[in-house]
Amino acid sequence: MPLALCFNPDTTLLLRPIPSSTHLAISSRHPRSWSPISRAAATVSAMAVGSVRVATAQMTSIDDLAANFATCSRLVQEAASAGAKLLCFPESFSFIGANDEDSVKIAEPLDGPIMQQYRSLARESKIWLSLGGFQEKGSEEAHICNTHVVIDDAGNIRSSYRKIHLFDVDVPGGRSYKESSYTEPGKDTVALDSPIGRLGLTVCYDVRFAELYQQLRFQHEAQVLLVPAAFTKITGEAHWEILLRARAIETQCYVIAAAQAGKHNDKRESYGDTLIIDPCGTVVGRLPDRVSTGIAIADIDLSLVDSVRTRMPIAKHRKPFNFWRPASLLFPLLCISKLNKVARVNMLRVAESMIPLRPLASETRHSDVS
């Protein structure tokens, strides 16, 4: 596939009204003269040869586990009917309470009944699910883990990632957040193979930390980066799309960003704008309404990933992580010059161990996934 498609995409948005205030948006590279078509025809006609269809959800989760599951179930059926192999849900898909303590109260281990429901849903619908931002019970009663779980089409948990960067921010013009007060930070990067390519897992606020995405691309060979999120309305308006497109461009990966949208309660409102972005930073999937409940669909073409990386070989041109070490350590080395010999030796040992490459904690490679 020629690289020019990235810079001059010939993209048509295909829409069809769906019951229960749900929207389905299908993105495909077809002539602009095409008129809107039905979902059934879109499944057959819009899918590019050699590509794999993906879907990403937008929803407004509330403090009702059953209601949220009903919404997720409906969206799963829509995605499966459209031919999607993977459906991505946003952060806190199963529950958003009025207070942080509510998340702690409903938290469960990954083998608990809440996750079992979603595993059954994936198995019955024969679709992979990305469940980003599940309230997993932490190592102590007062804390949870913000965990991104990937389930295959047989209902098996293939991998899980615990959010590394926690949202402790006083939002200008908004409320204060301190996620670390009730959430344990994760420590490990996670990637796994899937039917749509090699996935790199992240959650929401992680998107502001480019080094995590660099690790996923250059150390762990990710082709598709998943960013389930619940961005605030204020920060979303300012930075949501530009951050996602930047991550796609600098890693030459697809980015799939499922978003919470609208008012969850009197205290919390999310920005929305669920997106699918190609390796050149072009938006190829998006809902027509930034805050409606629905799914956006696009076709992932890994040959485009290869083409972009071949024509713009940044993997060959980039400097290794330790290239920057001498410059970054210059000031500390000058500072310790007046220390005694034992102190200098100890400080230099610490300096030599800086900028480590974190090992991949959870990795699954399957040659027989379908």
Side-chain angles (χ1 to χ4, degrees):
M1 181 176 291
L3 185 63
L5 285 175
C6 296
F7 304 105
N8 297 288
D10 197 356
T11 302
T12 301
L13 193 64
L14 307 174
L15 306 176
R16 186 182 76 85
I18 292 177
S20 304
S21 301
T22 302
H23 291 86
L24 169 69
I26 300 179
S27 174
S28 179
R29 289 183 171 85
H30 286 285
R32 296 182 188 276
S33 59
W34 279 32
S35 60
I37 60 176
S38 70
R39 181 182 63 205
T43 302
V44 175
S45 302
M47 187 177 294
V49 175
S51 64
V52 182
R53 179 150 291 175
V54 300
T56 182
Q58 185 168 285
M59 62 188 294
T60 309
S61 295
I62 57 175
D63 59 352
D64 186 326
L65 290 164
N68 294 330
F69 181 73
T71 298
C72 290
S73 298
R74 186 172 70 248
L75 296 178
V76 166
Q77 296 310 312
E78 294 293 345
S81 296
K85 290 287 188 180
L86 167 74
L87 172 59
C88 300
F89 281 104
E91 183 182 25
S92 303
F93 62 97
S94 62
F95 183 87
I96 289 183
N99 302 294
D100 298 335
E101 295 79 10
D102 294 339
S103 293
V104 177
K105 291 177 182 177
I106 61 94
E108 291 184 358
L110 296 186
D111 59 358
I114 297 175
M115 188 55 63
Q116 186 58 49
Q117 281 187 301
Y118 288 90
R119 293 178 64 182
S120 298
L121 182 60
R123 182 174 61 253
E124 293 164 3
S125 304
K126 297 180 173 55
I127 190 171
W128 283 56
L129 298 180
S130 160
L131 305 173
F134 176 71
Q135 292 92 348
E136 180 189 9
K137 188 175 286 293
S139 60
E140 50 160 309
E141 288 298 320
H143 287 80
I144 65 171
C145 295
N146 192 340
T147 304
H148 185 168
V149 182
V150 175
I151 300 173
D152 68 19
D153 55 4
N156 302 309
I157 294 179
R158 284 297 186 99
S159 197
S160 62
Y161 159 78
R162 294 180 175 93
K163 184 180 180 184
I164 291 174
H165 303 98
L166 302 183
F167 192 57
D168 290 0
V169 176
D170 295 327
V171 177
R175 55 170 281 199
S176 295
Y177 297 83
K178 193 165 182 62
E179 189 176 15
S180 65
S181 67
Y182 65 98
T183 306
E184 299 175 8
K187 298 179 180 179
D188 302 299
T189 53
V190 177
L192 72 152
D193 288 336
S194 80
I196 70 162
R198 188 152 177 80
L199 307 177
L201 307 188
T202 68
V203 176
C204 198
Y205 190 49
D206 284 333
V207 76
R208 293 184 181 272
F209 301 89
E211 59 271 20
L212 172 59
Y213 295 81
Q214 298 285 307
Q215 287 272 347
L216 288 168
R217 158 71 206 277
F218 297 109
Q219 299 300 315
H220 307 310
E221 303 175 354
Q223 298 165 302
V224 181
L225 301 171
L226 306 185
V227 192
F231 254 54
T232 72
K233 186 174 185 291
I234 294 172
T235 57
E237 288 174 344
H239 301 140
W240 172 246
E241 182 176 337
I242 196 169
L243 282 168
L244 294 168
R245 295 178 72 180
R247 298 295 85 84
I249 293 167
E250 69 196 9
T251 61
Q252 300 173 319
C253 290
Y254 279 94
V255 169
I256 304 176
Q260 289 284 350
K263 294 200 71 172
H264 309 281
N265 50 56
D266 292 338
K267 296 181 179 179
R268 185 165 177 181
E269 182 177 5
S270 294
Y271 177 67
D273 200 15
T274 286
L275 297 172
I276 303 174
I277 302 168
D278 77 10
C280 290
T282 302
V283 175
V284 296
R286 180 180 232 154
L287 280 166
D289 184 341
R290 179 174 59 77
V291 295
S292 66
T293 294
I295 57 174
I297 294 178
D299 298 329
I300 297 294
D301 184 355
L302 295 181
S303 68
L304 177 60
V305 175
D306 295 337
S307 175
V308 170
R309 293 179 180 183
T310 298
R311 292 169 183 261
M312 187 74 72
I314 62 174
K316 294 180 181 180
H317 299 157
R318 64 184 295 276
K319 304 304 180 187
F321 287 102
N322 61 4
F323 173 85
W324 308 102
R325 182 160 52 186
S328 66
L329 295 181
L330 179 60
F331 182 72
L333 290 174
L334 291 175
C335 290
I336 68 173
S337 61
K338 295 183 179 181
L339 298 176
N340 62 45
K341 183 176 180 180
V342 174
R344 284 201 304 272
V345 169
N346 290 335
M347 288 291 289
L348 286 171
R349 284 175 178 169
V350 172
E352 288 174 356
S353 67
M354 289 180 67
I355 319 180
L357 298 182
R358 185 176 296 281
L360 186 63
S362 177
E363 178 172 354
T364 308
R365 289 184 178 273
H366 297 276
S367 59
D368 59 344
V369 292
S370 60

